[in-house]
Amino acid sequence: MSLELYSTLSRRKQVFEPINAGEVKMYVCGVTVYDYTHIGHGRTFISFDIIRRWLEASGFKVTFVRNITDVDDKIIRRAAERHVTCDALTDEFARAMQEDMLTLGCLAPTVEPRATHFIPQMLNIIDKLEKKGLAYQTKSGDVAYAVRQFKDYGKLSGKSIDDLISGERVAADESKRDPLDFVLWKSAKPGEPQWDSPWGKGRPGWHIECSAMSCHYLGETFDIHGGGPDLIFPHHENEIAQSEGANGKRFANYWMHTGPLRVMNKEGKEEKMSKSLGNFWTVRDAIAETDDKFGKGNGAQVLRFFLMRTHYRSPILFGPDLIVDAYQSLKRLYTALKDVPADNEPLDWNEECAKRFAEAMNDDFNVPVAVAQLFELANRAQAQKSAAMSRQLKKLGAILNILQGDPEAFLKGSTEGLDEAAIEEAIAARAAAKKAKDYAKADEIRKHLAQMGVMLTDTPQGTTWQRVLVEKAH
């Protein structure tokens, strides 16, 4: 079955045909590093991590570029507030972002360029645009893109220029010829980072950086360009205008965007995530909260599983209580791997569930349907005591980068107030009480462990235990 993916540009699924056979060149917009990454970034980056992993599992050599925006109004303001340089601020949060993505199980990009390292390439594009009549210097000294001179403007967002002008995102600026024209180069202001240019000292606008970096690493036309839903307009629309305007070539063949993420507030209502609403979740905070619920070290696995279970193009609702189902589901899969350890044979793509897994992933990376095959394998592994089914479960899970931890460690997690030695000691005390026919004491020990989040299972080989959720009093 051929791989089909949905392109925002064509508004339909298309058979994926790379420019070069066996190779995929993909660019995903990264973050502006002035603060910690939030769970919306996590959702987008996990989605494209899985897309990349499936392409590689399908035999493609993938060049995956994800940029870092390290010059921006927000960065300048935050650096001033903290009395540090922009470089010091962006270094700190770039490292934090990389750590967060690795913790969430995302592969590092093939290359992760910083905007400030590509000023000459940006100036070259602006120069081309000016010579073609697509850019001009404003009275304020900025260089702006002349949107009405690019006949295809709006083709990604599907809006006409008149629709876009009436939109709330377009701010009035008397120095520009048209309110929709966007800034390519900002003239220097005192105390801000600045570079020399043919139009005077200044710094790049936001949109131009991605055109420069993607073309540098992937060529003037490449396969896939991706990002979050908020980037469709204006960022990606402007990238197309300036890249295709400068180079006279199609910029990217396929445009992929994730669905929006919203959060559930304390009243159980769905709303946009915002610091002003007090519902803002960084990746670090979400992992810490999830660790607290499901055991130290399990939080990142559970959060990744939660964020990937919804189809990448669909909206997703986040809330600490909503993650419980993801934990219980992951627990089911790990229980199967614990009960029936996998054999060491290679993944069998001819096996029924593996075939359906591949079909789902080839259908616009349909992870929810692919994950359903994992539960089928878990059921078969336990019902048939089949090490082959466990192997299929574990190796298909590896493609999504889940189920690769020790099952016993995941199921035990960490238990408040008791370490593993204390739990084993309590189990031994219970066994001794049962042997002495002191069943009341044995039941008391079991009940105490249950209250601490430890469930016991008696088997012919002895007593085993695992962590369970315990509702905490508020």
Side-chain angles (χ1 to χ4, degrees):
M1 177 183 176
S2 299
L3 169 63
E4 291 190 348
L5 57 82
Y6 182 91
S7 177
T8 309
L9 185 62
S10 66
R11 294 166 184 76
R12 61 181 176 85
K13 288 183 189 178
Q14 298 175 247
V15 174
F16 176 63
E17 296 178 353
I19 295 167
N20 299 317
E23 293 182 38
V24 178
K25 295 180 179 181
M26 178 161 60
Y27 185 92
V28 174
C29 286
V31 299
T32 302
V33 285
Y34 70 100
D35 204 343
Y36 292 110
T37 51
H38 56 67
I39 54 172
H41 297 134
R43 194 276 171 100
T44 293
F45 291 163
I46 287 170
S47 296
F48 282 102
D49 180 65
I50 289 172
I51 289 168
R52 174 190 181 180
R53 287 174 183 271
W54 180 247
L55 290 169
E56 291 180 343
S58 301
F60 290 104
K61 177 186 176 183
V62 179
T63 301
F64 183 89
V65 181
R66 186 180 71 207
N67 73 296
I68 292 173
T69 296
D70 61 349
V71 59
D72 175 85
D73 291 342
K74 292 176 182 177
I75 290 170
I76 293 167
R77 284 196 298 269
R78 181 62 58 84
E81 289 167 5
R82 294 180 58 172
H83 305 290
V84 298
T85 65
C86 288
D87 284 348
L89 183 83
T90 56
D91 284 349
E92 175 188 348
F93 287 115
R95 282 195 301 271
M97 177 272 296
Q98 290 163 343
E99 290 167 4
D100 289 347
M101 293 309 112
L102 289 173
T103 301
L104 286 176
C106 296
L107 293 166
T110 310
V111 62
E112 195 166 32
R114 292 186 176 219
T116 55
H117 297 177
F118 286 81
I119 301 297
Q121 290 87 342
M122 297 181 210
L123 295 176
N124 181 53
I125 294 173
I126 297 170
D127 181 60
K128 286 183 181 180
L129 292 171
E130 186 180 49
K131 287 176 178 174
K132 291 186 175 185
L134 289 168
Y136 61 93
Q137 189 160 22
T138 69
K139 294 176 183 177
S140 64
D142 295 342
V143 180
Y145 187 95
V147 164
R148 289 186 185 274
Q149 300 304 309
F150 184 70
K151 63 181 178 65
D152 287 335
Y153 195 81
K155 67 180 178 180
L156 184 67
S157 58
K159 299 177 181 179
S160 70
I161 285 181
D162 290 335
D163 289 338
L164 294 171
I165 286 175
S166 64
E168 59 182 295
R169 289 189 183 217
V170 179
D173 182 345
E174 291 182 0
S175 71
K176 294 190 295 186
R177 296 175 185 170
D178 191 294
L180 198 60
D181 292 351
F182 59 89
V183 175
L184 299 165
W185 186 257
K186 295 186 176 185
S187 60
K189 293 180 182 177
E192 291 188 351
Q194 52 191 258
W195 291 263
D196 290 326
S197 85
W199 308 276
K201 290 184 177 294
R203 60 185 172 90
W206 175 33
H207 314 297
I208 193 67
E209 65 178 66
C210 286
S211 291
M213 289 182 277
S214 59
C215 291
H216 177 81
Y217 285 106
L218 303 177
E220 293 177 352
T221 303
F222 54 93
D223 297 300
I224 297 172
H225 196 316
D230 55 320
L231 299 181
I232 296 172
F233 182 83
H235 187 50
H236 288 166
E237 194 76 74
N238 291 350
E239 276 190 63
I240 290 174
Q242 64 203 11
S243 303
E244 297 188 0
N247 300 320
K249 299 176 182 178
R250 187 183 180 108
F251 182 38
N253 284 340
Y254 305 90
W255 287 83
M256 301 181 69
H257 295 91
T258 53
L261 180 143
R262 294 173 69 83
V263 296
M264 184 172 287
N265 64 21
K266 293 177 182 178
E267 289 74 44
K269 295 180 179 178
E270 184 179 332
E271 60 189 12
K272 184 177 180 179
M273 186 170 68
S274 166
K275 286 184 179 179
S276 63
L277 294 174
N279 63 9
F280 190 83
W281 286 89
T282 67
V283 167
R284 295 186 172 205
D285 288 343
I287 290 174
E289 174 89 11
T290 314
D291 266 347
D292 184 54
K293 278 180 176 287
F294 312 122
K296 184 73 174 172
N298 285 347
Q301 291 187 70
V302 175
L303 185 59
R304 179 182 176 91
F305 189 60
F306 172 81
L307 291 172
M308 62 177 254
R309 284 199 313 170
T310 302
H311 190 275
Y312 79 91
R313 285 193 288 115
S314 299
I316 185 170
L317 181 63
F318 175 85
D321 294 337
L322 300 175
I323 300 180
V324 172
D325 181 63
Y327 168 73
Q328 299 288 20
S329 297
L330 205 52
K331 181 179 167 184
R332 266 185 65 199
L333 299 176
Y334 265 121
T335 298
L337 291 174
K338 180 182 80 71
D339 292 347
V340 187
D343 64 28
N344 294 318
E345 296 300 311
L347 177 61
D348 179 7
W349 284 109
N350 292 316
E351 183 268 325
E352 184 180 348
C353 289
K355 283 183 179 178
R356 290 200 293 264
F357 181 100
E359 288 169 0
M361 294 301 289
N362 281 329
D363 180 15
D364 194 30
F365 309 97
N366 197 331
V367 173
V369 174
V371 166
Q373 307 315 309
L374 303 186
F375 287 101
E376 178 63 24
L377 286 166
N379 292 338
R380 292 185 184 184
Q382 289 183 300
Q384 302 169 17
K385 304 299 180 191
S386 170
M389 294 296 100
S390 284
R391 170 240 303 158
Q392 293 290 99
L393 169 60
K394 186 174 180 68
K395 294 198 171 184
L396 289 175
I399 293 170
L400 305 175
N401 200 20
I402 58 171
L403 304 178
Q404 300 311 292
D406 175 54
E408 192 126 351
F410 179 86
L411 294 169
K412 288 181 177 179
S414 67
T415 311
E416 254 184 83
L418 291 176
D419 59 22
E420 189 162 341
I423 294 169
E424 296 294 349
E425 188 177 317
I427 290 172
R430 175 173 173 268
K434 288 173 69 176
K435 188 172 182 180
K437 297 186 178 180
D438 188 350
Y439 298 114
K441 183 176 181 181
D443 286 346
E444 185 181 332
I445 293 171
R446 175 190 279 275
K447 184 177 179 181
H448 174 69
L449 289 173
Q451 290 171 341
M452 301 302 290
V454 178
M455 183 180 73
L456 303 183
T457 303
D458 294 318
T459 72
Q461 292 75 36
T463 300
T464 62
W465 65 274
Q466 63 179 273
R467 179 185 173 86
V468 294
L469 284 177
V470 176
E471 290 297 324
K472 297 179 182 179
H474 294 286

